[in-house]
Amino acid sequence: MSGRTTPSGLVAELSAWASGLRPFDIPPRVARLAQSQILSQLAAIRAGWAHPRGQDLVRAFGAPLQDDPARSACVLAGLGSWLNLDDTAYAGHLSNATVAVPVAYAHALGLTGRELVTAVVAANECAARITAASTLGPFRGQSAVQTALVGAVSGRLGCQRAPAEQWTNALGLALAMPPWTTLHGFLGSDARILSVLLPVRTSMDACDAAAAGLRGAADILEHPDGFLARFADVPLPEVVTRGLGELWHTDTLSFKMRPAGPGIDAAVDCAVELHAQHREVLLDHLDDIDEIVVAASAYTLYVGRRAEQYVTGPDTPASTLPLSIRYALATALLHGDLTLADYAEPVVRDPRRWALAQRVRLIHDSAMTRELLTGEAPFGDAIADAGAAGAAWAERFFGDLVHDVAARSADPARNYENATKRTPAKVTVRLRDGRTFSRERVIPVGAAGPETRARHSELIRSKFISAGGDRQVADAWDGLFDAAAKELADLLETALRNPTE
């Protein structure tokens, strides 16, 4: 006997569940969401690869599918992450790791469709839960790299059918020295294209180390000197293992339909609708537009404030520009859409966009902030779980935008089948002659809610094709769960053909 005792701790409990997850443990609705998630992230990878900075990444690290699956996983993670076409959940930007890494290993190991879907769901559940436990902390969205660390370990070990102890050790090692994102580097340079690639690389090394026998701390999350003590202002360790096998975080998936930063989606949807309804008036009277008023929640204004510090007109880094609500809104109003081409030469230098962007004014709507906090995503559920401490965190985080947040208690019997992501916005275009045109939306197109649950397969099929994806792959995707190994390999290789050729 080795003399080792069974590890105890939150990571060990989560690992025991995830390592034992099997395809038919997953409810069909959750498996279908994961299928759409995989295709959606393949679209994001294609889009990121087609951009000049994405081509730079491939020159530096190699093609998305290569002989070394660990390196392949890193490239896939980097390409899909940096232009805000990646999908999110409550909590975290999951797909950059929870899809990218299983895709690399499923291809390398010759897995079937149901094995890929199972690995993705296991990775989702692990990454989302640990992200949720640290959501009330210093990092948001992609800057919260713990999502990628956990998702990458879980996605790889799920494909490899590794034993629970190996999961525990790899997660403990990966979370021992997590990166601490610096905002200036993240927004002020091209470094953001590496923001997921680097933690995925760390996780691949942690998996190798665990396979060789190195041990991680099974109580790395909850220990007084552990992860949550440093990465959460209001730690929520209880959510890590709550409802395993019954409460599915994959139910909270929101699909990104256009490349725009967090909190911007609903406003861009409104601008697209305004263009469709009033195109001739808007374009014929472009110089007569007095202002474009965006009423939104505290979250949208917070994102806008942080991003605009780094927006310097046409020379803004491509990784930062999708976070500019002013540029995104001006583009959508002018052209009726927002695509990856809008973040590259030559259109990024269109003076009309920048002139119109200067007329965008953001205002806080307190009712929209209350609406934001009623949804599970992006952090409403964490605030509810934390009660009074969560309400106090929200007031500190948003500063003068939020006062007297009403503390609410989460229902311990709840599930996420009806989860929503409410990031509301109202866009009003005012002309100098007094005419106004307005549109309002609470849940963005593709975000968690009843509309998305009803038609996510259709939405993601459109997203994949619009990213240049093969129609035959899109047509076959509904059968992914039942795909044999050879069929899955063919689908992945076709989906990931070089978009620049």
Side-chain angles (χ1 to χ4, degrees), residues 194-216:
L194 303 176
S195 65
V196 180
L197 185 152
L198 295 177
V200 168
R201 177 73 264 179
T202 296
S203 291
M204 296 300 95
D205 291 343
C207 289
D208 289 339
L214 272 67
R215 301 177 69 183

Side-chain angles (χ1 to χ4, degrees), residues 141-155:
Q142 289 182 356
S143 68
V145 298
Q146 59 266 37
T147 310
L149 288 170
V150 176
V153 168
S154 306

Side-chain angles (χ1 to χ4, degrees), residues 2 4 32 62 83 104 139 162 228 244 263 280 282 298 302 305 322 331 359 385 416 418 436 470 489 491 494:
S2 67
R4 291 187 178 184
R32 288 192 294 270
L83 285 172
F139 297 117
L228 290 177
L244 286 168
E280 292 185 6
L282 292 176
Y302 169 83
R305 284 179 175 179
T331 298
R359 284 172 258 171
D385 269 315
Y416 287 145
N418 298 308
T436 64
D470 187 277
L491 286 171
T494 304

Side-chain angles (χ1 to χ4, degrees), residues 379-420:
F379 40 67
D381 214 51
I383 292 173
D385 269 315
W393 177 89
E395 292 192 24
R396 293 194 304 272
F397 182 77
F398 292 119
D400 59 0
L401 293 176
V402 173
H403 299 287
D404 301 322
V405 176
R408 65 181 179 91
S409 297
D411 177 5
R414 71 193 184 284
N415 63 50
Y416 287 145
E417 288 187 54
N418 298 308
T420 59

Side-chain angles (χ1 to χ4, degrees), residues 101 103 176 184 289 302 373 382 418 469:
V101 177
V103 162
H184 182 62
I289 295 176
Y302 169 83
L373 297 178
N418 298 308

Side-chain angles (χ1 to χ4, degrees), residues 327-497:
Y327 178 82
L329 207 65
T331 298
L333 278 171
L334 281 170
H335 299 285
D337 204 356
L338 183 67
T339 70
L340 266 298
D342 294 309
Y343 299 120
E345 302 278 1
V347 296
V348 74
R349 297 195 173 276
D350 179 1
R352 296 187 309 159
R353 301 181 189 218
W354 292 105
L356 193 58
Q358 294 303 310
R359 284 172 258 171
V360 175
R361 180 166 63 93
L362 275 65
I363 61 172
H364 179 227
D365 187 307
S366 58
M368 290 184 178
T369 294
R370 287 193 293 274
E371 187 83 50
L372 168 81
L373 297 178
T374 66
E376 285 77 7
F379 40 67
D381 214 51
I383 292 173
D385 269 315
W393 177 89
E395 292 192 24
R396 293 194 304 272
F397 182 77
F398 292 119
D400 59 0
L401 293 176
V402 173
H403 299 287
D404 301 322
V405 176
R408 65 181 179 91
S409 297
D411 177 5
R414 71 193 184 284
N415 63 50
Y416 287 145
E417 288 187 54
N418 298 308
T420 59
K421 181 177 183 179
R422 299 168 180 265
T423 52
K426 180 179 181 180
V427 177
T428 301
V429 180
R430 303 185 189 279
L431 274 63
R432 292 194 175 94
D433 63 11
R435 284 180 292 174
T436 64
F437 307 105
S438 294
R439 293 295 296 176
E440 184 172 355
R441 191 171 188 98
V442 174
I443 298 177
V445 175
E451 180 182 353
T452 298
R453 276 188 289 276
R455 55 190 293 256
H456 59 82
S457 294
E458 172 191 344
L459 287 170
I460 301 312
R461 183 182 189 279
S462 175
K463 174 180 176 178
F464 180 73
I465 291 172
S466 70
D470 187 277
R471 287 181 179 272
Q472 290 184 331
V473 170
D475 291 341
W477 205 258
D478 279 346
L480 178 69
F481 191 80
D482 295 318
K486 178 64 166 63
E487 183 182 0
L488 176 61
D490 290 343
L491 286 171
L492 294 177
E493 289 166 11
T494 304
L496 291 170
R497 284 176 182 160

